[in-house]
């Protein structure tokens, strides 16, 4: 059966539990590799991944038969399970329940990819783009 050709893109962002800095420099590449591998397994493609010790950004292309909610659930679940298996002593790895999801056009992909790749510089320099950092509605920001 032939599948339809789609170009559906989404920028996702989600945080660690209570924004604890759980994504250490040693863990970060391993988490990102799990995200890439699991996305491929469910028919999606990660075009960019980056973040900070307390949150992650993912730029993905996804098929029409995969909902954004399912994509996020599967990526968060696989990466959380993997990180928990590594063990962190008294700080177990866990993601917050919420997430932000922002669809975008193919033309915006390079811009968002660059934004994600430069997360550390944006956060250090105070040049984050607030709309792409949101995980919850404005009135709920900071809760969690």
């Amino acid at each position: 059966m032939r599948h339809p050709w789609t170009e559906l893109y989404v920028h996702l962002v989600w945080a660690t539990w209570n924004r604890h800095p759980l994504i250490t420099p040693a863990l970060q590449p391993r988490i990102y590799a799990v995200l890439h591998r699991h996305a491929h397994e469910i028919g999606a493609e990660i075009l960019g991944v980056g973040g900070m010790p307390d949150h992650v950004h993912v730029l993905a292309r996804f098929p029409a038969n995969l909902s954004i909610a399912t994509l996020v659930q599967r990526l968060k679940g696989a990466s959380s399970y993997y990180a928990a298996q590594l063990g962190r002593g008294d700080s177990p790895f866990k993601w917050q329940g919420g997430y932000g999801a922002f669809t975008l056009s193919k033309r915006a992909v390079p811009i968002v990819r660059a934004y994600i790749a430069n997360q550390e510089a944006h956060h250090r320099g105070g040049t984050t783009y607030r709309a792409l950092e949101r995980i919850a509605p404005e009135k709920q920001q900071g809760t969690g």
Side-chain angles (χ1 to χ4, degrees):
M1 177 177 160
R2 293 193 92 166
H3 297 284
W5 176 256
T6 59
E7 292 197 42
L8 304 173
Y9 302 96
V10 64
H11 171 218
L12 306 167
V13 59
W14 62 83
T16 57
W17 187 255
N18 288 331
R19 289 279 188 163
H20 291 298
L22 302 176
I23 306 171
T24 63
L27 182 59
Q28 185 186 60
R30 297 165 102 180
I31 291 282
Y32 293 177
V34 168
L35 293 171
H36 277 277
R37 185 171 55 250
H38 201 71
H40 178 75
E41 288 174 7
I42 60 175
E45 177 185 8
I46 302 258
L47 304 174
V49 63
M52 297 298 292
D54 67 346
H55 70 279
V56 67
H57 292 259
V58 174
L59 174 61
R61 180 175 172 202
F62 63 103
N65 65 343
L66 180 64
S67 74
I68 291 172
T70 299
L71 173 63
V72 173
Q73 177 186 29
R74 300 286 297 272
L75 293 178
K76 286 174 69 177
S79 58
S80 181
Y81 178 80
Y82 174 80
Q85 297 306 305
L86 295 176
R88 292 190 37 91
D90 54 338
S91 294
F93 191 92
K94 187 174 174 183
W95 296 118
Q96 280 187 187
Y99 63 91
F102 315 93
T103 57
L104 57 141
S105 68
K106 184 177 182 178
R107 187 176 327 154
V109 166
I111 297 163
V112 174
R113 182 185 286 147
Y115 179 78
I116 290 171
N118 293 301
Q119 275 292 289
E120 288 184 34
H122 286 299
H123 281 272
R124 187 174 48 251
T127 59
T128 58
Y129 184 54
R130 187 178 178 131
L132 294 179
E133 296 288 332
R134 289 179 53 193
I135 295 172
E138 287 295 321
K139 63 183 178 183
Q140 293 180 5
Q141 282 295 111
T143 63

